[in-house]
């Protein structure tokens, strides 16, 4: 029989925009009649919203061969959403604790998660553990929000196993983390997403789909190609004092060493020239910029420059100076000097440099892989279809198979020590020049929804054969 507990008071403290401290009190009612969404359940009443299989992932993972559902934490959802979207990854449990944390960490990832959960053909279930009497977890005094969320994930996973103990066979719940730092804190079946995917028996290797953990290259080398980005606190202080300005970064399609930033309140866009001033900003990022004194202002150049990576930039490894690299760098320096030549005062416009990134607006990008420069290397240079996007360094074991194919890549990071942003392979679209593949590139690049219609939508169509009648 369904019942509700008395309201729980959730008290939090937050700082308002004007610097005052505000006490926020919310009431939450807990229930015991929230369906689990599993076809293996013998307790919950029949529901049309059952999307988890009765025998989930049977024998799919070599390291965890038992029937199991996977319960990713928020870090996995934010960083590995492309993996969760893959058609061969099924029986996914998303707890409301995780969904709420994802919304706080990354709105783009949260939107993709909502789309994934709304896809009725996907074997995924969202369980409101924050509103269930047996899975709600109170936050302990002095406990961090992250620790409480992790504890809540473990409690909900254990409840799920206990709830389905009478099923035949009884499925387990495997918690997935992005790194191994949380494994010691989890007293339930758990594994890093890299170990799990590495042991999967799928039709194609999925390790390439994973976003790699931070390379920490900045700590391993003293060779920096870009200045550091300012800390958010420094940026906010600079914005208030009008030392810095916030705006949207617009890369040039014709010249990869040039961009503009549109700043609210300024009549003209601010010009950014040179790779150091661009400072790892990508098209449509929200950036903080510093405007130069008027005597250093410049004008847009009429040069058409296409990005050509150095050999060591493509490999991502330290290499000795060679003639090809030296020529490429000399050419880049010459081009930057040409752009900064004296111009007429009437042609000048505000000019500045990027000092920090306020918000990354990265998405997935379509393009092709360039042939690798070393036979033994697994690192490639990805050339986006949109010329406003810089070349991307990716690492894949399927490079030979992906040559001459349209593929999709996501950017993971851009450390100071890397000349190119670092990304990972997401999926293959088809052969270059193939009509269907090229159409999908156009749709994806312009963010046009083109998913297949659901069965519910198709059911609204008349049965075939169908003809137009006078009544219609």
């Amino acid at each position: 029989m369904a019942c509700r507990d008395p309201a729980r008071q959730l008290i939090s403290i937050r700082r308002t925009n004007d610097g005052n401290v505000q006490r926020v009190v919310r009431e939450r009612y807990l229930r015991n009649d929230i369906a689990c969404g599993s076809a293996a359940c013998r307790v919950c009443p029949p529901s049309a919203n059952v999307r988890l299989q009765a025998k989930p992932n049977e024998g799919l993972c070599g390291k965890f061969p038992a029937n199991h559902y996977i319960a990713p934490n928020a870090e996995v959802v934010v960083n590995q959403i492309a993996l969760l979207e893959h058609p061969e990854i099924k029986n996914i449990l998303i707890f409301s604790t995780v969904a709420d944390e994802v919304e706080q960490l990354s709105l783009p990832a949260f939107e993709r998660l909502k789309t994934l959960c709304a896809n009725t053909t996907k074997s995924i279930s969202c369980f409101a553990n924050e509103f269930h009497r047996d899975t709600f977890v109170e936050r302990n005094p002095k406990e961090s929000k992250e620790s409480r969320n992790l504890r809540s994930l473990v409690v909900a996973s254990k409840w799920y196993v206990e709830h389905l103990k009478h099923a035949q066979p009884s499925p387990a719940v495997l918690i997935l983390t992005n790194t191994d730092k949380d494994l010691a804190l989890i007293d339930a079946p758990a594994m890093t997403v890299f170990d799990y995917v590495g042991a999967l028996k799928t039709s194609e290797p999925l390790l390439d789909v994973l976003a790699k953990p931070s390379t920490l290259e900045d700590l391993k080398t003293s060779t920096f190609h870009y200045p550091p980005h300012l800390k958010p606190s420094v940026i906010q202080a600079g914005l208030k004092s009008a030392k810095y300005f916030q705006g949207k970064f617009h890369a040039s399609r014709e010249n990869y060493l040039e961009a503009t930033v549109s700043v609210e309140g300024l009549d003209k866009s601010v010009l950014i020239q040179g790779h150091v001033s661009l400072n790892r900003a990508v098209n449509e990022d929200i950036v903080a910029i510093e405007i130069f004194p008027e005597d250093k202002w410049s004008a847009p150049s009429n040069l058409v420059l296409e990005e050509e990576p150095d050999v060591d930039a493509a490999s991502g490894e330290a290499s000795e100076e060679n003639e090809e690299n030296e020529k490429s760098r000399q050419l880049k320096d010459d081009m930057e000097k040409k752009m900064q030549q004296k111009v007429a005062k009437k042609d000048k416009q505000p000019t500045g440099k990027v000092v920090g990134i306020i918000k990354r607006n990265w998405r997935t990008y379509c393009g092709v892989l360039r042939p690798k420069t070393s036979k033994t290397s697994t690192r490639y240079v990805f050339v986006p279809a949109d010329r406003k996007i810089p070349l991307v360094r990716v690492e894949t074991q399927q490079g030979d198979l992906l040559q001459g194919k349209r593929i999709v890549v996501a950017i993971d990071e851009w450390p100071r020590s890397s000349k190119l942003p670092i990304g990972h392979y997401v999926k293959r679209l088809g052969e270059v020049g193939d009509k269907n593949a090229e159409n999908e590139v156009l749709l994806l690049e312009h963010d046009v929804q083109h998913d297949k219609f659901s069965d519910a939508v198709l059911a609204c169509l008349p049965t075939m054969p169908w003809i137009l009648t006078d009544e219609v």
Side-chain angles (χ1 to χ4, degrees), residues 191-452:
M191 193 181 298
T192 68
V193 67
F194 297 94
D195 290 339
Y196 180 75
V197 171
L200 288 181
K201 302 170 185 177
T202 52
S203 60
E204 62 173 323
L206 297 182
L207 278 174
D208 290 342
V209 179
L210 296 177
K212 307 299 184 291
S214 179
T215 58
L216 298 180
E217 289 184 85
D218 286 357
L219 303 179
K220 297 178 181 178
T221 176
S222 58
T223 305
F224 298 135
H225 306 290
Y226 300 94
H229 289 147
L230 298 180
K231 295 180 179 179
S233 57
V234 177
I235 292 175
Q236 290 303 321
L239 293 175
K240 287 183 179 180
S241 64
K243 180 180 180 181
Y244 305 130
F245 296 87
Q246 175 179 323
K248 194 168 189 178
F249 185 88
H250 303 282
S252 170
R253 192 184 299 275
E254 289 75 28
N255 187 342
Y256 77 100
L257 292 175
E258 199 167 79
T260 57
V261 175
S262 54
V263 178
E264 187 177 352
L266 296 185
D267 295 334
K268 288 187 176 181
S269 296
V270 179
L271 180 66
I272 312 291
Q273 290 182 323
H275 76 282
V276 173
S277 293
L278 295 172
N279 199 6
R280 296 168 286 155
V282 177
N283 190 51
E284 295 191 347
D285 283 349
I286 305 300
V287 299
I289 61 170
E290 180 180 359
I291 298 180
F292 297 145
E294 193 168 346
D295 60 337
K296 292 185 178 181
W297 287 6
S298 183
S301 68
N302 56 4
L303 298 175
V304 177
L305 295 178
E306 186 176 349
E307 188 173 10
E308 292 289 341
D310 299 337
V311 174
D312 56 343
S315 66
E317 300 169 354
S319 62
E320 295 182 1
E321 290 291 332
N322 56 56
E323 186 176 351
E324 184 181 350
N325 277 352
E326 187 59 35
K327 285 182 179 179
S328 175
R329 291 166 191 169
Q330 187 62 47
L331 178 63
K332 183 186 290 186
D333 292 341
D334 292 343
M335 291 301 102
E336 292 192 19
K337 288 177 181 177
K338 274 189 178 182
M339 290 190 295
Q340 294 170 1
Q341 288 179 351
K342 290 185 176 180
V343 293
K345 188 174 182 179
K346 62 181 179 63
D347 296 328
K348 287 185 177 182
Q349 69 179 76
T351 307
K353 63 179 180 179
V354 174
V355 296
I357 307 295
I358 296 174
K359 181 186 177 185
R360 288 291 193 188
N361 281 323
W362 292 342
R363 55 178 176 85
T364 53
Y365 304 101
C366 303
V368 295
L369 290 183
R370 282 189 176 176
K372 60 183 177 182
T373 55
S374 170
K375 293 182 179 180
T376 58
S377 176
T378 59
R379 290 178 174 177
Y380 295 79
V381 171
F382 170 77
V383 183
D386 186 352
R387 291 187 59 183
K388 291 184 177 181
I389 307 302
L391 302 178
V392 183
R393 198 180 85 204
V394 298
E395 187 169 355
T396 175
Q397 303 291 334
Q398 307 177 63
D400 293 336
L401 297 175
L402 299 177
Q403 290 294 327
K405 306 288 193 303
R406 289 289 185 188
I407 65 172
V408 178
V409 161
I411 298 178
D412 301 324
E413 61 174 342
W414 196 344
R416 292 174 60 201
S417 56
S418 176
K419 295 179 181 178
L420 303 179
I422 300 170
H424 68 276
Y425 162 75
V426 175
K427 65 178 180 179
R428 178 172 49 192
L429 300 178
E431 297 282 344
V432 172
D434 176 74
K435 181 180 177 181
N436 293 332
E438 299 297 343
N439 283 342
E440 190 165 1
V441 168
L442 289 173
L443 293 170
L444 288 171
E445 285 295 314
H446 293 86
D447 196 25
V448 177
Q449 292 293 329
H450 62 289
D451 296 332
K452 292 182 179 179

Side-chain angles (χ1 to χ4, degrees), residues 5-55:
D5 284 359
R8 301 283 185 96
Q9 282 196 346
L10 305 180
I11 302 173
S12 60
I13 306 296
R14 73 180 187 93
R15 186 178 295 276
T16 61
N17 292 334
D18 54 4
N20 295 325
V21 176
Q22 187 178 60
R23 185 171 182 262
V24 181
V25 180
R26 293 186 178 92
E27 289 187 344
R28 177 167 296 177
Y29 292 89
L30 304 181
R31 310 169 61 95
N32 73 337
D33 60 343
I34 301 175
C36 66
S38 170
C41 183
R42 299 292 179 267
V43 179
C44 296
S47 169
N49 197 29
V50 173
R51 290 163 63 180
L52 299 179
Q53 298 171 351
K55 296 181 179 180

